[in-house]
Amino acid sequence: PESVTKINYNAIGYDENEEMIPGTVIVGAVGSAAEIYATDTDADYDVANEFTFVTYAVYEKQQEYNALDRKYSGMYEYAIVDGEGMITICNEVENILEVPAEIDGTKITSIYYGAFLSCSSKTIILPEGIKKIDENVFAETLEHLTIPASCTEITGEEPFLQLPNLQSITVNEGNTAYSSEDGILYNKDKSLLIAYPALKTGEKFKTPETVKEIAKSGFCYNINLKNVELTAVETIGEYAFEGCTALEETILPDTLKKVDKNAFLGCSSMMGIRVPDSVDEIAAYAFGYDYDEELANDIQANMESYAELGEDVIMPYTVIEGFKMYVEEDSLAHRYAKDCGI
């Protein structure tokens, strides 16, 4: 459990001869003592743990997957749940893949967690009839994705995060939950921008007037954007622009109210930003921070010491040298800048 704050040498995963038990899996929370223990070292005993660590969510998915009655057909593995088909694994390698609407006469209505991770197709067209797409479904090779009108559920807060080659997401006409424009994924009424693909081309982007919120990791790791104007946005989600290393300018509107944690983390080319006094919530590391490799290495080498100091101390981020914030005096943004040494 997450309540455990320290696990000593040899506590878990060793036999009576103090030898590591092969295949031991440690299940816990990210950043917890469990994760530290999985690969922890002890200089006094000259030992380095080599256990597999997985999060609670991943472990539950593994258990769920193992309980499925899975069937095989060509390059596909699938399961039948309540009379409907669910693709669990696809091993196709063709460049353009049109996923079948039926396998062995069973109508496919959902795509399971991680199902296309071993599929190297660059373009994937999902068939009408698909109602649900799990998170973490696709491999890094994916460039273009077509979502059918029938799909009304895409699970997870960051369903397209680990896709560095993704250039476009297209939603077919008639979808009641999602929409797309110029390869960008929105909810139906375009009030929420869900995903701006990491490899989408173009140096400038202006949000439609309808967009009120940028989803968690919405623009995360895009490598081409240099200028973004958020015309009527009220909320910028966690990690929204994380790792957008080419981003130089972001224009924030007077409608903006909330900027969540790490929103602009790692935007190393952006040396300044004007923050309107309409903003009444700014979370940790929202503006002006970049990754600090030297600090990260020091944390890794002295993990237990840093862990005892608390989570806020061990984040490997430092303020970008020369970064400036243009703010109203005595506003929340002014206090944030002063607190951070910006």
Side-chain angles (χ1 to χ4, degrees):
E2 200 168 356
S3 58
V4 174
T5 57
K6 185 173 178 60
I7 304 175
N8 283 323
Y9 163 70
N10 210 23
I12 298 169
Y14 286 84
D15 62 20
E16 66 274 14
N17 298 315
E18 297 190 4
E19 297 289 336
M20 276 186 281
I21 301 170
T24 297
V25 177
I26 309 293
V27 183
V30 173
S32 67
E35 183 176 22
I36 293 170
Y37 179 79
T39 57
D40 203 6
T41 59
D42 193 311
D44 293 338
Y45 292 91
D46 190 28
V47 66
N49 292 343
E50 297 178 357
F51 302 124
T52 298
F53 172 81
V54 298
T55 64
Y56 302 126
V58 170
Y59 180 73
E60 288 171 4
K61 275 293 184 183
Q62 289 174 346
Q63 299 298 101
E64 180 182 272
Y65 173 78
N66 291 335
L68 292 173
D69 181 17
R70 304 187 301 278
K71 305 177 185 299
Y72 305 90
S73 179
M75 302 298 284
Y76 290 91
E77 176 191 89
Y78 68 102
I80 300 175
V81 179
D82 297 328
E84 297 184 338
M86 174 171 62
I87 293 176
T88 52
I89 294 178
C90 172
N91 291 314
E92 290 285 2
V93 295
E94 54 190 278
N95 194 36
I96 300 175
L97 173 62
E98 293 192 36
V99 177
E102 293 186 359
I103 299 178
D104 296 337
T106 299
K107 187 175 180 180
I108 302 300
T109 61
S110 62
I111 309 295
Y112 192 68
Y113 178 91
F116 286 79
L117 290 179
S118 55
C119 170
S120 58
S121 299
K122 294 182 178 180
T123 297
I124 295 179
I125 303 167
L126 298 177
E128 290 300 334
I130 296 288
K131 302 174 186 176
K132 177 183 176 183
I133 303 171
D134 263 348
E135 61 183 320
N136 194 35
V137 163
F138 303 102
E140 292 186 352
T141 52
L142 182 64
E143 296 179 1
H144 304 282
L145 174 67
T146 298
I147 297 172
S150 56
C151 179
T152 56
E153 183 180 0
I154 302 173
T155 65
E157 294 182 297
E158 305 163 291
F160 305 105
L161 179 60
Q162 302 297 335
L163 300 174
N165 294 298
L166 187 62
Q167 299 172 33
S168 70
I169 302 171
T170 302
V171 179
N172 287 344
E173 289 292 330
N175 193 300
T176 59
Y178 303 101
S179 62
S180 64
E181 183 178 334
D182 195 25
I184 305 162
L185 179 65
Y186 301 88
N187 65 348
K188 179 60 179 178
D189 64 2
K190 291 188 172 67
S191 61
L192 174 67
L193 188 153
I194 300 171
Y196 187 102
L199 204 58
K200 177 175 167 54
T201 57
E203 295 183 354
K204 294 184 178 182
F205 176 70
K206 183 177 180 179
T207 57
E209 292 283 348
T210 56
V211 175
K212 304 302 179 186
E213 181 178 356
I214 307 299
K216 182 176 181 179
S217 303
F219 289 81
C220 203
Y221 301 130
N222 180 276
I223 63 171
N224 294 314
L225 275 175
K226 290 185 177 181
N227 179 288
V228 172
E229 182 177 352
L230 307 178
T231 54
V233 169
E234 298 175 1
T235 300
I236 300 175
E238 298 177 22
Y239 305 97
F241 291 88
E242 181 190 9
C244 292
T245 54
L247 187 62
E248 297 174 357
E249 180 184 26
T250 303
I251 300 174
L252 304 179
D254 290 334
T255 57
L256 187 63
K257 297 177 181 178
K258 177 181 179 180
V259 184
D260 220 325
K261 68 180 182 180
N262 303 325
F264 291 90
L265 177 65
C267 295
S268 53
S269 297
M270 193 169 73
M271 298 307 298
I273 193 166
R274 176 194 172 273
V275 183
D277 60 1
S278 60
V279 177
D280 55 24
E281 185 175 347
I282 302 176
Y285 309 110
F287 298 111
Y289 282 86
D290 198 1
Y291 306 102
D292 188 325
E293 188 173 343
E294 184 177 339
L295 178 58
N297 291 335
D298 189 57
I299 291 171
Q300 185 67 32
N302 303 282
M303 197 170 288
E304 282 196 20
S305 299
Y306 276 98
E308 290 172 1
L309 297 176
E311 182 180 356
D312 290 340
V313 180
I314 65 171
M315 292 294 102
Y317 315 142
T318 53
V319 172
I320 296 171
E321 185 176 354
F323 183 82
K324 293 180 174 64
M325 291 176 64
Y326 301 87
V327 301
E328 294 293 331
E329 190 171 7
D330 297 327
S331 65
L332 176 64
H334 187 194
R335 295 196 297 275
Y336 170 89
K338 289 173 66 177
D339 289 344
C340 298
I342 294 171

